[in-house]
Amino acid sequence: MMGTRASIWFSLFVFSLLTSSICSEENESKEFVLTLDRSNFTDTVSKHKFIVVEFYAPWCGHCKSLAPEYEKAASILSSHDPPIVLAKVDASNETNRELANEFEIKGFPTIKILRDGGKAAQEYKGPREAEGIVTYLQKQSGPASLEIKSVEDASNFVGEKKIVVVGVFPKFSGEEFDNYTALAEKLRSDYEFGHTLDAKYLPRGETSVTGPVVRLFKPFDELYVDSKDFEVDALGKFVEESSIPLVTIFDNDPSNHPFVIKFFNNPNAKAMLFMNFSGETADSFRSKYGEVAEHYKGEAISFLLGDLDSSQGAFQYFGLKDDQVPLILIQTTDGTKYLKPNLEVDGIASWLKDYMDGKVPPYRQSEPIPEENKEPVKVVVGDSLEDMVLKSEKNVLLEFYAPWCGHCKSLAPILDEVAISFENDADVVIAKFDATANDYPTGTFNVEGYPTMYFKSASGKIVAYEGDRTKEAIIDFIEKNRDKAAAPQQELAKDEL
Ligand SMILES: *[C@@H]1O[C@H](CO)[C@@H](O)[C@H](O)[C@H]1NC(C)=O
Ligand SMILES: *[C@@H]1O[C@H](CO)[C@@H](O)[C@H](O)[C@H]1NC(C)=O
Ligand SMILES: *[C@@H]1O[C@H](CO)[C@@H](O)[C@H](O)[C@H]1NC(C)=O
Ligand SMILES: *[C@@H]1O[C@H](CO)[C@@H](O)[C@H](O)[C@H]1NC(C)=O
């Protein structure tokens, strides 16, 4: 669940920015990315100490955006010493599906780093443009922790815009060092690790630090934090917790994006304040919001501050309007939302207090229930979902769509035909639901992309539709899964006699 959520967030927030760079340079000649399938996957992977595999689906838009970047990275990395091999698997292909299941692929694209001939698998968590992919994979293919031997090493390593973890040790052996190294192996796809014998190489270095100590550098809040607990799990917890900013910033700066992904990956309730970063009142909002975040530190709620300019994906997703900013939207883990539009600086603290005290009613987004609903494909909105689908005594095929989604547009005429073919069947309803403008129970429907189709049988059984998007396949699915109405059942009984 968590992983898939994160990937939809990642898509919404980060991919929306990349679309401009899609398909810039396509190299038609040699393909550097290996194509693998079930027949040669194990053989190929077992030959490599380090190989990267993308699981994709041909219909997935983000996979298409990634493809030229991935290919470009593969071409650059082919001349790395030793070469780093990038491969891809069409996970939508029936024959390869088992492979995808083995790696617990839940969304596309998913990239895995396989080590030791496939004995260890790790999720790729790096950037999605060529240069970023190259840098990330060069680091991933090297040692899990780099030794820092000079001030230059340290300033190259620590940088100014990322989180890095440095272990300071009196010697590179012993239980503390071993535990640190084990943690670095475990978390290497999320963080960069280094180790040194001398704390004075480090930025803001102090001669007083002798170690063993682990120092986490971060480009926000208190800038660095130390831990001396070398128990592996405790150290991991320290790294995870210290690396979430008090307020996560979402704007066009790619160096902020890893923190945005972390924000959406953490299990807390999520408070998101969206405003125009260039507006006159931006600074006062920023500082007040920071105070509030500080106040609720440790209370299972995380804070994000988003720039209107960069948040179009999120606005579409939540059905928010530009003229509602500054606004705060809170989403809890179960998907319940709370909204305060047209916020004023003086109102931030008191609205959050009301929310924490349980005094803010949840916000359910719904378009008005249409007065007429005569088209073959019926329109369902947030306020009619209960009556028309969940509590309906009919068999309902429901499409979750987004108005801007191209695949949904291609599906529309097919759904029309399906609906027309059931026109004389009062027990079957084909319906559509604009999921960008209406809320639905996220526990019941898991919508990770558009279009997503669900089928609810007359007796209330809900199943996801994962077949082909053709008229024949959809009709076939409905016939197989529907509850037989009283009348045809009698006919069947007669036939049997
Ligand atoms: C694996 O097999 C597929 C089809 O059977 C083929 O297209 C592909 O080139 C093969 N890959 C390698 C690395 O041999
Ligand atoms: C699945 O892959 C195999 C081998 O790579 C290929 O022969 C087959 O046509 C593919 N099936 C589909 C439905 O694309
Ligand atoms: C190293 O980690 C192990 C396992 O978490 C733990 O039992 C041990 O106490 C740790 N050693 C030190 C010095 O903290
Ligand atoms: C943000 O504010 C600036 C300055 O007031 C204005 O020029 C810009 O159009 C605003 N951006 C949006 C998206 O409203």
Side-chain angles (χ1 to χ4, degrees):
M1 258 320 267
M2 228 50 222
T4 51
R5 273 285 153 71
S7 66
I8 195 166
W9 288 118
F10 184 79
S11 309
L12 282 169
F13 279 78
V14 180
F15 257 121
S16 55
L17 304 168
L18 271 179
T19 43
S20 58
S21 66
I22 293 171
C23 304
S24 48
E25 276 169 68
E26 243 172 310
N27 189 346
E28 298 272 316
S29 52
K30 182 170 156 54
E31 274 207 0
F32 286 91
V33 175
L34 291 186
T35 305
L36 299 180
D37 67 6
R38 232 176 89 86
S39 71
N40 49 26
F41 183 87
T42 311
D43 240 25
T44 311
V45 165
S46 67
K47 286 189 193 119
H48 290 91
K49 277 196 86 67
F50 185 92
I51 183 169
V52 185
V53 182
E54 181 209 1
F55 292 87
Y56 72 99
W59 42 260
C60 140
H62 296 315
C63 305
K64 287 183 195 151
S65 328
L66 176 63
E69 302 292 329
Y70 195 64
E71 175 62 27
K72 195 169 159 191
S75 109
I76 298 169
L77 288 168
S78 67
S79 47
H80 183 266
D81 184 27
I84 295 175
V85 177
L86 273 58
K88 62 179 177 182
V89 171
D90 175 358
S92 76
N93 182 315
E94 215 43 74
T95 9
N96 295 335
R97 202 159 285 169
E98 228 173 90
L99 213 49
N101 289 342
E102 199 181 306
F103 286 97
E104 295 175 2
I105 306 299
K106 297 197 190 102
F108 302 121
T110 296
I111 306 173
K112 295 278 178 179
I113 295 174
L114 309 182
R115 294 175 195 276
D116 293 334
K119 288 198 198 80
Q122 221 159 22
E123 186 101 11
Y124 173 96
K125 292 182 179 160
R128 309 229 173 166
E129 40 55 56
E131 225 172 280
I133 297 172
V134 169
T135 316
Y136 182 84
L137 288 178
Q138 279 170 339
K139 282 185 186 143
Q140 290 299 317
S141 67
S145 178
L146 289 180
E147 188 183 345
I148 293 168
K149 293 181 198 157
S150 65
V151 172
E152 291 74 49
D153 280 0
S155 66
N156 287 337
F157 181 71
V158 174
E160 279 174 358
K161 292 200 157 181
K162 55 185 185 180
I163 289 178
V164 300
V165 186
V166 182
V168 182
F169 299 96
K171 57 183 179 8
F172 293 149
S173 59
E175 213 177 310
E176 282 91 355
F177 182 71
D178 291 346
N179 282 4
Y180 179 75
T181 311
L183 183 78
E185 277 297 345
K186 192 166 140 205
L187 296 185
R188 64 176 301 166
S189 61
D190 301 87
Y191 302 94
E192 290 179 33
F193 289 88
H195 54 277
T196 187
L197 292 173
D198 200 337
K200 76 171 181 299
Y201 296 147
L202 302 176
R204 298 173 287 277
E206 287 135 70
T207 42
S208 61
V209 180
T210 48
V213 62
V214 173
R215 174 163 288 191
L216 181 141
F217 291 93
K218 50 184 171 178
F220 49 79
D221 302 343
E222 67 269 61
L223 301 177
Y224 70 85
V225 263
D226 291 344
S227 171
K228 291 194 169 192
D229 187 343
F230 280 86
E231 200 273 314
V232 178
D233 289 340
L235 198 52
K237 196 155 174 265
F238 159 77
V239 170
E240 297 284 357
E241 282 175 0
S242 332
S243 59
I244 296 176
L246 200 51
V247 175
T248 299
I249 302 294
F250 179 67
D251 57 11
N252 280 316
D253 182 351
S255 62
N256 285 326
H257 295 166
F259 306 113
V260 175
I261 293 164
K262 273 187 163 302
F263 174 84
F264 285 111
N265 263 333
N266 95 51
N268 286 346
K270 289 161 187 73
M272 296 165 265
L273 195 161
F274 293 104
M275 64 175 189
N276 182 344
F277 278 18
S278 330
E280 280 168 20
T281 52
D283 283 343
S284 46
F285 270 90
R286 194 186 290 266
S287 70
K288 193 73 201 175
Y289 194 55
E291 279 171 33
V292 169
E294 179 72 48
H295 183 76
Y296 291 111
K297 202 171 173 174
E299 300 243 10
I301 178 164
S302 304
F303 294 83
L304 175 136
L305 186 62
D307 186 9
L308 180 57
D309 259 353
S310 312
S311 305
Q312 288 315 303
F315 271 49
Q316 278 174 348
Y317 181 78
F318 291 117
L320 301 170
K321 308 270 179 307
D322 284 6
D323 64 13
Q324 290 178 312
V325 299
L327 65 82
I328 296 188
L329 181 77
I330 293 178
Q331 188 169 36
T332 57
T333 336
D334 67 4
T336 313
K337 293 191 271 187
Y338 303 85
L339 176 70
K340 173 68 186 163
N342 307 115
L343 186 69
E344 295 188 8
V345 171
D346 294 338
I348 299 176
S350 57
W351 189 79
L352 262 147
K353 180 167 189 320
D354 284 350
Y355 164 78
M356 296 300 278
D357 293 347
K359 289 184 189 156
V360 176
Y363 156 75
R364 178 170 73 191
Q365 197 195 346
S366 177
E367 295 175 297
I369 296 177
E371 281 171 23
E372 300 223 314
N373 210 345
K374 290 196 177 139
E375 295 299 317
V377 176
K378 303 300 168 202
V379 175
V380 176
V381 298
D383 289 339
S384 61
L385 185 66
E386 188 99 356
D387 288 342
M388 287 183 66
V389 182
L390 295 173
K391 287 190 177 157
S392 155
E393 285 172 1
K394 299 184 175 184
N395 299 285
V396 187
L397 180 85
L398 183 65
E399 180 213 7
F400 292 85
Y401 74 96
W404 40 261
C405 136
H407 291 298
C408 306
K409 286 179 189 141
S410 331
L411 180 63
I414 296 169
L415 281 186
D416 267 336
E417 286 179 41
V418 173
I420 288 166
S421 80
F422 283 108
E423 219 160 27
N424 295 319
D425 190 333
D427 291 318
V428 176
V429 174
I430 311 298
K432 61 180 181 180
F433 184 89
D434 179 350
T436 67
N438 298 282
D439 282 339
Y440 55 88
T442 49
T444 310
F445 302 109
N446 183 21
V447 179
E448 288 169 12
Y450 303 119
T452 292
M453 284 186 273
Y454 270 93
F455 181 78
K456 190 217 62 111
S457 72
S459 58
K461 203 167 148 247
I462 295 177
V463 280
Y465 178 82
E466 279 162 359
D468 289 340
R469 292 175 189 157
T470 60
K471 179 184 167 189
E472 294 70 27
I474 297 172
I475 292 177
D476 195 45
F477 180 86
I478 294 174
E479 291 298 355
K480 278 200 187 116
N481 287 280
R482 68 183 293 184
D483 292 316
K484 296 287 176 280
Q489 246 166 24
Q490 273 167 7
E491 263 168 43
L492 204 73
K494 236 186 304 179
D495 282 348
E496 277 169 0
L497 288 174

